[in-house]
C-alpha cells in the first residue's frame, strides 16, 4: 500500500466499486482546491504534500464512506497548514464538509500551560466533533493510518511518540468502532516502531515455518469445504495468518515462545444466514474436537461495537489447536469496517429525503455517549488521558440482571458498576449485593455469565469515596463524582478557597494583585466555569488543581505587567513541578511539610498506611497526629482549621504498621485455621486474633496484622476474600 502511488482516479474508482451514486465532480473539485492551496509543500519523505490527503481519501473510499467524507479527507489539512480559513471551506464546499474539516484540525490559537493540556484539548475537541458526526473520527483514523505507513521518514523520537500514541489511543479507538481492518494494521505498525528487535525476530520466526503451517491449514480447509458441501451449506472458507502484534501479546501474556504458539492461523467461514452459522458450527465440531473454554458466541451476545461472529478453537492432527470464526457476509462487513459499514448502510437507504448521519444517539454507540459525558467535567490532563485509555481498551464481561437482561461492563467491574449501569439512584442507595444468589462484598469482581442482584435501602447515606478505588466503569465514576459535587458543594467551595490561598502565598503573589476581573474572566472562560464559586468547588473536589487555575491567571498577569517571559515561565514550571526541598521524615515514615524531624504519631482511630491519603493535626504538646482523610474524626478536626497541616508519606524508608481487619463469614469447621493460614502465606505478620459466632451462624473474626504499606494490606484483604465462606473483609475504620 505504501509503495503504490495513489491518484485521484484511484479514489474515484474505489468510490465507484462501493456505490453507483456518487458525485465525482465534487470529489475532483475538492482535490483541485487542495492541490492549489498546498502548492509546493512537501512531506518529510520529500513527496508533494497532496500525496497524504489522497491516501487518506483512498482509505476512506475503501471502507465505503460517502462523498462529503472523501472531500473532507482531501481538504483535512488545508486549514491547519495553509492560509485557508473555515469560512473559506463553508463558502466553497458547504457546512457539512467544513464541520468535518474543523473537527479534524488541531488547535493552534489557544494558550496552554503544559503540552499535556494542549494534547488533551485536541482529544476533547475530537470527541466533541465525534458527538456531532462520527465521520470525523473515521477521517482521523485514516489520517493516522497513512502517517503510520510513512513513519520511517521521521526521526526516531517522533517515531516512538507517534507509535505510542497510536497503540494507546488510535488502535483501541478503531477497535471500539469495530474497524478491525484499520485496528490490526495500526497495531502491527506501532509494534514495528516501538519494539523493532522483537518485531524482526517474530517476522523471521514465522517465515521459517510458514510452509509447514500453510500445508496444515490448507488440508483442514479442504476437509471442511467437502463436509459443508455434503450438508448443502453454501460457504466460503478462507485462512489467514494471525496479526503480528496479537501473536506477540499472546507470547508475553502466556510467557510462551513462538514454537509454543500453535494457532498462528485462523480459519474463517462466511455463510448466508444465521441458521447456516450454527449449522457450520455443527459441521466443524463433528470433524474436530473443540477445546473446552474456548467457545464464544458473539452472534447471540454481540459486542458493543456491533461485532458478531462465532469463535471456536479446535484440535487438529497431533493435537495442534487452530481457531475458526463463523459469520454471515453482512456480519463480515461490520467486522471489517464496523461503524463505517453501519454508516454506509444508512447512505444506501438514502432516498432523496435528506442525508442521515450516524450520531451519538445511536444505541450501538452508548459507550461513546458516556465517554462524552465524563470528559465534559474533567480538567486535569493526566486524569483525562488515563480515563480515556482505560475506557477505550475493550475488555468486557457480560452479566445478567435477575430478570435476564444483559449488561456489558468493563472486565474487573464490581456490583457497584453494575448498580450504576442500571440507574444512578440504585447506585446511590445500594447497601449490598448478591452474585448468583450468594451475598458478596460490593467490591467483588464480576465474572462472565454472573447473575447480579443489588440490595438498596432508603436509609443509605449515599456512595463512599472509597468506591472510586474499586470501580472500573467511567459511568459509575461519573455518577459518584456528580453526587459528591452536589451533596458537598459548600464544603468543596471552602476547601477550594483554602487550596487557592495556599498556592498564592507559596508563589509570593498577593490575592488582591492576582484576583482581578481581567485575570479571572479568561481563566473562567478557559476552564468553562460560570463563576468563582463553581471554580472553587471544582478545586476543592479535586477535579482541577489550584496550580492550573493560578498558572492560567499568571498568563494574563504577565501580559499586563510585562514580566520577562522566562520569569513567568519559571513560576509556572515551579507551580507545575512543585518540587520541594528534601525534608527528613519522622520515625513513623511521615513528612510534615516544611518541618524536619517533627514528632509524629499515627492515630489509632484509623491506623493510616503508606498509600492512604492523609492529613496532619497539630496537637497540644504531643506533636502532629496523622489521620486518614476518610477518618470519621476528621470532620471534628476541621473545626480548628488553623491546626490542620499538610503531611505526606516518605517513600525511601520502610517501616511496619499495625492494622485491624474485620472478617465476616458463614460459620464452618476449620474457618479460623484457613484465615490464619492465608495471612501467614503473605508477607504480613499476624499480631492478634479474636473470633466469635452470632446466633445467625455468622462468624465475625477480628485480626491485627503488621504490614509495610497499603499495597501489602490490600493483598492480605484480597487473599482473605478468597477464603471459602468469607463474604466480607474490611479494614477497621
Amino acid at each position: 500500500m505504501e509503495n503504490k502511488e495513489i491518484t485521484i482516479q484511484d479514489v474515484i474508482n474505489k468510490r465507484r466499486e462501493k456505490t453507483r451514486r456518487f458525485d465525482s465532480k465534487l470529489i475532483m473539485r475538492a482535490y483541485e482546491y487542495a492541490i492549489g492551496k498546498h502548492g509546493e509543500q512537501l512531506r518529510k519523505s520529500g513527496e508533494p504534500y497532496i500525496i497524504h490527503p489522497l491516501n487518506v481519501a483512498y482509505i476512506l473510499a475503501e471502507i465505503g464512506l460517502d462523498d462529503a467524507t472523501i472531500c473532507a479527507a482531501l481538504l483535512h489539512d488545508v486549514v491547519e497548514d495553509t492560509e485557508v480559513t473555515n469560512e473559506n471551506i463553508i463558502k466553497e464546499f458547504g457546512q457539512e464538509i467544513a464541520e468535518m474539516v474543523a473537527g479534524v484540525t488541531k488547535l493552534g490559537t489557544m494558550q496552554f500551560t503544559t503540552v499535556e493540556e494542549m494534547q488533551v484539548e485536541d482529544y476533547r475537541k475530537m470527541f466533541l466533533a465525534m458527538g456531532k458526526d462520527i465521520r470525523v473520527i473515521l477521517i482521523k483514523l485514516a489520517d493516522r493510518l497513512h502517517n503510520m505507513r510513512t513513519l520511517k521518514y521521521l526521526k526516531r523520537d517522533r517515531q516512538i511518540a507517534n507509535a505510542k500514541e497510536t497503540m494507546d489511543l488510535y488502535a483501541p479507538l478503531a477497535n471500539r468502532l469495530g474497524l478491525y481492518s484499520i485496528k490490526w494494521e495500526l497495531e502491527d505498525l506501532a509494534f514495528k516502531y516501538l519494539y523493532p528487535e522483537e518485531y524482526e525476530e517474530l517476522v523471521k520466526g514465522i517465515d521459517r515455518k510458514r510452509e509447514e503451517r500453510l500445508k496444515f491449514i490448507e488440508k483442514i480447509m479442504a476437509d471442511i469445504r467437502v463436509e459443508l458441501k455434503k450438508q448443502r451449506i453454501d460457504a466460503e472458507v478462507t485462512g489467514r495468518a494471525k496479526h503480528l502484534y496479537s501473536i506477540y501479546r499472546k507470547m508475553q501474556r502466556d510467557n510462551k515462545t513462538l514454537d509454543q504458539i500453535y494457532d498462528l492461523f485462523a480459519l474463517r467461514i462466511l455463510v448466508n444466514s444465521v441458521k447456516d452459522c450454527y449449522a457450520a458450527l455443527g459441521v466443524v465440531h463433528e470433524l474436530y474436537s473443540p477445546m473446552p473454554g474456548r467457545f464464544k458466541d458473539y452472534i447471540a451476545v454481540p459486542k458493543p461495537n456491533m461485532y458478531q461472529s462465532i469463535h471456536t478453537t479446535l484440535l487438529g492432527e497431533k493435537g495442534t489447536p487452530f481457531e475458526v470464526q463463523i459469520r454471515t457476509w453482512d456480519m463480515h462487513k461490520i467486522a471489517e469496517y464496523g461503524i463505517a459499514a453501519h454508516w454506509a448502510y444508512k447512505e444506501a437507504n438514502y432516498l432523496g429525503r435528506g442525508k442521515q448521519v450516524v450520531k451519538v444517539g445511536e444505541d450501538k454507540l452508548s459507550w461513546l455517549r458516556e465517554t462524552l459525558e465524563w470528559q465534559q467535567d474533567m480538567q486535569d490532563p493526566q486524569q483525562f488521558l488515563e480515563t480515556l485509555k482505560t475506557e477505550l481498551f475493550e475488555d468486557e464481561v457480560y452479566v445478567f440482571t435477575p430478570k435476564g437482561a444483559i449488561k456489558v461492563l468493563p472486565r474487573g467491574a464490581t456490583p457497584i458498576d453494575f448498580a450504576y449501569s442500571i440507574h444512578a439512584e440504585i447506585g446511590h442507595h445500594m447497601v449490598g449485593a448478591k452474585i448468583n444468589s450468594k451475598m458478596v462484598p460490593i467490591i467483588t469482581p464480576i465474572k462472565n455469565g454472573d447473575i447480579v442482584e443489588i440490595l438498596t435501602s432508603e436509609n443509605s447515606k449515599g456512595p463512599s469515596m472509597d468506591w472510586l478505588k474499586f470501580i472500573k466503569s467511567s459511568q459509575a465514576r461519573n455518577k459518584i463524582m456528580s453526587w459528591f459535587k452536589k451533596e458537598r458543594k459548600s464544603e468543596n467551595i471552602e476547601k477550594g478557597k483554602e487550596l487557592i490561598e495556599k498556592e498564592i502565598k507559596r508563589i509570593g503573589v498577593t490575592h488582591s494583585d492576582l484576583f482581578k476581573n481581567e485575570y479571572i474572566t479568561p481563566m473562567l472562560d478557559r476552564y468553562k466555569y460560570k463563576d468563582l464559586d463553581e471554580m472553587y468547588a471544582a478545586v476543592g473536589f479535586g477535579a482541577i488543581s489550584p496550580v492550573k487555575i493560578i498558572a492560567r491567571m499568571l498568563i494574563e498577569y504577565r501580559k499586563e505587567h510585562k514580566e520577562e517571559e522566562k520569569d513567568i515561565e519559571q513560576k509556572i514550571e515551579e507551580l507545575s513541578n512543585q518540587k520541594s526541598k528534601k525534608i527528613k521524615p519522622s520515625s513513623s515514615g511521615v513528612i510534615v511539610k516544611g518541618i524536619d524531624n517533627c514528632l509524629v504519631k499515627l492515630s489509632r482511630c484509623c491506623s493510616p498506611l503508606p498509600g492512604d491519603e492523609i492529613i496532619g493535626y497539630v496537637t497540644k504538646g504531643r506533636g502532629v497526629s496523622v489521620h486518614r482523610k476518610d477518618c470519621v474524626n476528621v470532620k471534628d478536626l476541621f473545626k480548628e482549621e488553623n491546626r490542620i497541616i499538610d503531611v505526606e508519606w516518605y517513600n525511601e524508608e520502610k517501616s511496619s504498621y499495625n492494622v485491624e481487619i474485620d472478617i465476616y463469614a458463614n460459620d464452618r469447621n476449620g474457618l479460623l485455621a484457613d484465615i490464619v493460614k492465608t495471612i501467614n502465606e503473605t508477607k504480613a505478620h499476624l499480631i492478634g486474633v479474636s473470633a466469635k459466632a452470632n446466633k445467625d451462624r455468622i462468624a465475625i473474626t477480628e485480626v491485627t496484622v503488621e504490614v509495610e504499606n497499603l499495597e501489602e494490606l490490600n493483598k492480605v484483604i484480597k487473599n482473605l476474600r478468597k477464603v471459602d465462606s468469607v463474604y466480607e473483609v474490611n479494614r477497621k475504620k
Side-chain angles (χ1 to χ4, degrees):
M1 278 172 281
E2 185 187 323
N3 299 327
K4 182 183 185 300
E5 193 170 307
I6 298 293
T7 65
I8 190 63
Q9 202 51 53
D10 291 325
V11 175
I12 289 169
N13 289 345
K14 186 54 72 174
R15 184 85 185 100
R16 187 176 284 116
E17 274 179 34
K18 300 288 176 180
T19 180
R20 286 170 298 167
R21 300 180 60 238
F22 70 99
D23 190 341
S24 60
K25 285 180 185 171
L26 177 67
I27 294 170
M28 204 71 196
R29 193 155 62 82
Y31 169 66
E32 283 163 358
Y33 188 87
I35 277 194
K37 297 304 175 186
H38 284 298
E40 301 298 312
Q41 281 181 358
L42 298 175
R43 298 195 83 212
K44 294 274 193 246
S45 60
E47 299 170 317
Y49 196 87
I50 194 65
I51 297 285
H52 172 62
L54 264 173
N55 273 274
V56 174
Y58 185 80
I59 290 165
L60 293 166
E62 260 187 319
I63 60 176
L65 267 293
D66 63 317
D67 297 338
T69 315
I70 304 298
C71 291
L74 290 166
L75 300 166
H76 80 271
D77 277 336
V78 291
V79 175
E80 198 173 313
D81 295 338
T82 76
E83 79 291 347
V84 173
T85 64
N86 192 45
E87 287 69 33
N88 296 147
I89 303 288
I90 294 172
K91 190 177 169 188
E92 291 287 334
F93 296 97
Q95 193 75 34
E96 184 186 6
I97 290 172
E99 280 186 5
M100 280 193 270
V101 173
V104 181
T105 304
K106 287 196 185 108
L107 301 160
T109 53
M110 294 175 77
Q111 282 187 293
F112 300 97
T113 53
T114 64
V115 175
E116 288 88 356
E117 195 173 321
M118 184 170 177
Q119 187 187 28
V120 165
E121 282 308 317
D122 274 330
Y123 293 155
R124 202 190 297 271
K125 179 171 181 272
M126 183 172 80
F127 268 76
L128 289 172
M130 278 165 75
K132 291 179 188 164
D133 190 339
I134 197 72
R135 292 173 296 176
V136 168
I137 199 61
L138 302 179
I139 299 170
K140 197 78 182 169
L141 286 167
D143 174 52
R144 176 52 60 120
L145 179 55
H146 184 248
N147 282 334
M148 288 300 293
R149 286 175 182 174
T150 55
L151 203 58
K152 66 182 178 189
Y153 300 108
L154 296 189
K155 289 181 181 170
R156 184 73 187 123
D157 61 331
R158 294 305 310 145
Q159 287 178 346
I160 291 168
N162 282 13
K164 191 169 188 320
E165 188 185 36
T166 298
M167 198 69 96
D168 286 350
L169 182 80
Y170 289 101
L173 191 48
N175 185 47
R176 288 306 302 258
L177 293 170
L179 287 150
Y180 288 101
S181 57
I182 289 179
K183 176 226 177 183
W184 293 123
E185 194 178 346
L186 284 174
E187 279 187 344
D188 280 358
L189 287 165
F191 171 40
K192 180 181 177 179
Y193 289 99
L194 285 174
Y195 309 103
E197 289 174 18
E198 291 89 336
Y199 179 87
E200 286 303 323
E201 203 176 302
L202 193 55
V203 169
K204 285 175 190 166
I206 288 170
D207 280 345
R208 273 198 302 271
K209 291 198 172 181
R210 184 176 292 276
E211 293 263 328
E212 183 188 321
R213 289 197 184 100
L214 275 173
K215 278 180 191 167
F216 166 73
I217 214 80
E218 276 167 7
K219 183 181 184 310
I220 289 171
M221 285 197 297
D223 292 348
I224 290 174
R225 283 190 193 112
V226 168
E227 202 55 40
L228 287 169
K229 205 167 183 181
K230 276 187 196 171
Q231 301 297 327
R232 295 185 182 160
I233 299 167
D234 185 14
E236 181 181 289
V237 183
T238 56
R240 63 167 182 85
K242 286 262 182 103
H243 298 276
L244 292 170
Y245 182 65
S246 66
I247 296 169
Y248 174 73
R249 200 167 52 187
K250 192 169 185 179
M251 286 164 64
Q252 296 298 304
R253 187 189 66 210
D254 300 339
N255 197 20
K256 288 184 174 178
T257 63
L258 185 60
D259 288 335
Q260 293 170 303
I261 307 275
Y262 297 109
D263 52 343
L264 295 177
F265 284 84
L267 285 184
R268 187 172 290 145
I269 301 173
L270 300 176
V271 294
N272 295 324
S273 67
V274 172
K275 182 184 163 195
D276 284 351
C277 287
Y278 291 103
L281 178 69
V283 167
V284 295
H285 277 191
E286 277 289 315
L287 283 171
Y288 305 98
S289 302
M291 275 181 78
R294 297 292 297 275
F295 173 79
K296 286 174 185 155
D297 187 349
Y298 295 118
I299 294 178
V301 185
K303 290 187 180 186
N305 63 15
M306 304 182 298
Y307 178 86
Q308 285 184 288
S309 196
I310 294 171
H311 292 194
T312 184
T313 301
L314 306 160
L315 296 170
E317 286 176 19
K318 299 174 188 171
T320 305
F322 63 96
E323 187 185 60
V324 175
Q325 297 172 358
I326 306 168
R327 59 179 80 136
T328 67
W329 287 95
D330 282 348
M331 288 171 193
H332 183 56
K333 281 178 197 161
I334 289 174
E336 290 297 297
Y337 303 132
I339 194 66
H342 192 56
W343 201 92
Y345 293 159
K346 287 275 182 181
E347 198 201 12
N349 294 331
Y350 166 60
L351 299 170
R353 292 194 289 269
K355 202 163 272 191
Q356 294 176 296
V357 176
V358 173
K359 294 189 177 176
V360 177
E362 297 283 345
D363 287 344
K364 300 289 185 188
L365 291 173
S366 58
W367 69 270
L368 178 54
R369 195 165 57 248
E370 286 159 23
T371 302
L372 290 167
E373 275 172 24
W374 61 251
Q375 66 92 35
Q376 297 279 2
D377 295 330
M378 212 174 285
Q379 272 86 23
D380 183 74
Q382 209 50 47
Q383 189 188 359
F384 176 87
L385 286 175
E386 286 311 309
T387 311
L388 180 59
K389 287 170 190 174
T390 306
E391 189 64 18
L392 287 176
F393 276 102
E394 182 201 358
D395 199 5
E396 290 145 340
V397 289
Y398 297 83
V399 295
F400 299 90
T401 67
K403 290 183 179 176
I406 295 173
K407 291 283 173 187
V408 184
L409 295 168
R411 192 163 298 282
T414 65
I416 305 170
D417 295 282
F418 181 85
Y420 280 102
S421 75
I422 297 167
H423 196 279
E425 288 306 308
I426 302 284
H428 295 338
H429 291 97
M430 84 176 289
V431 290
K434 288 182 179 179
I435 294 180
N436 305 326
S437 303
K438 187 179 175 185
M439 282 294 292
V440 295
I442 60 173
I443 58 170
T444 305
I446 301 171
K447 295 195 285 294
N448 254 328
D450 280 346
I451 299 168
V452 185
E453 187 181 343
I454 302 300
L455 310 178
T456 60
S457 165
E458 283 304 313
N459 301 323
S460 162
K461 292 175 184 174
S464 157
M465 283 298 268
D466 277 348
W467 291 4
L468 296 171
K469 297 174 192 169
F470 303 102
I471 57 173
K472 297 293 178 187
S473 64
S474 60
Q475 186 183 22
R477 186 173 303 279
N478 197 34
K479 287 173 181 174
I480 291 169
M481 290 175 76
S482 294
W483 186 88
F484 277 105
K485 269 201 248 185
K486 191 175 165 188
E487 293 293 314
R488 300 186 180 174
K489 190 172 181 186
S490 56
E491 205 177 296
N492 286 330
I493 289 171
E494 288 311 307
K495 190 179 174 187
K497 283 180 180 174
E498 185 188 315
L499 291 168
I500 291 281
E501 203 57 49
K502 272 186 185 174
E503 284 305 326
I504 291 171
K505 281 180 187 168
R506 210 177 66 75
I507 61 164
V509 180
T510 66
H511 190 283
S512 55
D513 277 348
L514 196 58
F515 271 72
K516 291 181 176 174
N517 279 341
E518 55 267 39
Y519 312 147
I520 292 169
T521 306
M523 175 273 293
L524 294 176
D525 289 346
R526 170 71 191 82
Y527 292 116
K528 300 176 181 66
Y529 296 123
K530 65 176 188 286
D531 54 32
L532 277 175
D533 272 359
E534 197 180 327
M535 180 275 286
Y536 283 131
V539 172
F541 176 65
I544 189 169
S545 70
V547 171
K548 290 212 172 310
I549 297 295
I550 294 168
R552 187 63 192 84
M553 291 167 78
L554 282 172
I555 289 173
E556 303 304 319
Y557 182 90
R558 172 186 65 188
K559 288 177 188 172
E560 192 167 307
H561 288 73
K562 303 284 187 285
E563 282 190 37
E564 286 297 316
E565 187 94 9
K566 61 182 182 184
D567 291 346
I568 197 75
E569 279 175 3
Q570 277 172 0
K571 263 182 188 173
I572 291 172
E573 198 173 324
E574 180 198 336
L575 273 166
S576 298
N577 295 335
Q578 290 195 355
K579 286 178 181 169
S580 53
K581 70 183 181 74
K582 196 164 183 179
I583 291 173
K584 292 176 189 171
S586 66
S587 58
S588 60
V590 172
I591 295 171
V592 178
K593 289 190 180 174
I595 308 171
D596 272 351
N597 287 325
C598 177
L599 176 63
V600 171
K601 187 183 174 200
L602 300 177
S603 65
R604 290 192 66 184
C605 58
C606 58
S607 304
L609 285 176
D612 283 328
E613 290 186 26
I614 51 175
I615 62 161
Y617 175 76
V618 181
T619 64
K620 292 176 182 172
R622 286 178 289 117
V624 173
S625 168
V626 176
H627 294 257
R628 278 162 44 198
K629 279 190 178 174
D630 59 358
C631 174
V632 289
N633 297 320
V634 161
K635 207 172 267 186
D636 295 332
L637 301 181
F638 266 105
K639 289 173 186 170
E640 299 179 79
E641 284 188 32
N642 58 331
R643 288 178 173 271
I644 298 295
I645 191 166
D646 284 341
V647 290
E648 62 186 22
W649 295 106
Y650 181 70
N651 295 325
E652 293 177 29
E653 289 184 0
K654 282 193 176 177
S655 304
S656 55
Y657 307 83
N658 287 359
V659 185
E660 293 174 354
I661 300 171
D662 290 335
I663 304 160
Y664 297 87
N666 298 317
D667 195 21
R668 65 169 173 82
N669 287 336
L671 176 66
L672 187 57
D674 286 348
I675 288 171
V676 171
K677 183 186 170 194
T678 301
I679 293 169
N680 288 336
E681 283 168 356
T682 68
K683 283 185 183 176
H685 297 295
L686 184 61
I687 304 295
V689 61
S690 75
K692 60 184 178 187
N694 64 18
K695 59 182 181 185
D696 297 320
R697 304 278 297 160
I698 299 294
I700 303 160
T701 310
E702 295 174 6
V703 297
T704 305
V705 293
E706 185 182 67
V707 293
E708 287 180 357
N709 52 41
L710 185 61
E711 191 182 343
E712 203 171 284
L713 173 66
N714 285 341
K715 191 176 178 185
V716 173
I717 290 173
K718 187 179 174 184
N719 288 356
L720 285 170
R721 285 186 179 134
K722 292 177 184 172
V723 173
D724 183 38
S725 302
V726 170
Y727 65 84
E728 186 76 82
V729 182
N730 290 318
R731 176 180 174 182
K732 225 180 182 77
K733 295 219 171 161

